[in-house]
Amino acid sequence: MIKNVFEVNSRGHPSPFNIDINRYFALIIAGPSGSGKSTFLRRLIGLISFYDETAEAYFMDFKADEDMFSMTGNHVARGFECLELFETVYNRFQARLNKSEEKTHNIYLIFDEWQSFLAYLEQTDKKNTRKYCLKC
């Protein structure tokens, strides 16, 4: 359970709520440009590392903002590298669903600028766009 996460109510005021990370298979954070999605993701990353110490997280940022994910490594992708890492993460999720992976810790995919990623795919490769959308 991740506690004290904030959402913005209909009046524009933040209100606290909790997320049971083991209850939901996926969470989507959506909103208009400048609404605080990336800031929320950074806060969520900190909370996950505090509440779920055995977690494995993958970080992707299609617009390659160094401020979003300043770390490097094989669990981080920026720009066009996101495509390859997305495939890796998808295969890990599939292995879990098929029970061919024995590990049971939580895996997180945190993808900033998902819409930009899909727009890029749609412009460059319509066939793969459908394939990736079906995977989500």
Side-chain angles (χ1 to χ4, degrees):
M1 176 76 67
I2 296 178
K3 300 178 181 180
N4 296 322
V5 177
F6 287 88
E7 67 180 341
V8 177
N9 62 25
S10 61
R11 297 161 106 170
H13 301 309
S15 59
F17 71 99
N18 301 325
I19 299 173
D20 184 350
I21 56 177
N22 294 314
R23 181 175 176 195
Y24 300 102
F25 183 71
L27 296 171
I28 295 176
I29 301 158
S33 181
S35 64
K37 297 178 301 293
S38 296
T39 301
F40 176 78
L41 281 176
R42 283 192 289 275
R43 179 167 169 74
L44 189 60
I45 291 165
L47 291 169
I48 288 170
S49 65
F50 181 78
Y51 285 104
D52 193 354
E53 295 175 0
T54 62
E56 183 177 0
Y58 292 87
F59 305 98
M60 295 179 221
D61 183 5
F62 187 68
K63 287 191 176 177
D65 180 4
E66 290 290 328
D67 292 333
M68 184 59 196
F69 305 126
S70 58
M71 70 287 260
T72 60
N74 62 353
H75 280 54
V76 179
R78 292 178 182 81
F80 302 113
E81 299 167 356
C82 292
L83 189 58
E84 184 178 337
L85 190 56
F86 181 80
E87 283 284 339
T88 299
V89 174
Y90 176 77
N91 291 334
R92 292 283 311 278
F93 281 120
Q94 281 297 107
R96 291 277 180 97
L97 291 173
N98 297 332
K99 310 255 190 268
S100 60
E101 181 175 294
E102 295 179 18
K103 296 177 183 177
T104 59
H105 62 275
N106 289 329
I107 297 175
Y108 297 94
L109 168 60
I110 300 170
F111 201 131
D112 196 27
E113 302 298 342
W114 172 251
Q115 284 298 114
S116 298
F117 177 69
L118 290 179
Y120 162 76
L121 287 177
E122 191 169 48
Q123 288 178 352
T124 59
D125 191 343
K126 291 187 188 297
K127 179 181 173 187
N128 277 333
T129 302
R130 279 188 229 99
K131 179 176 85 172
Y132 289 111
C133 287
L134 290 174
K135 289 180 178 183
C136 298

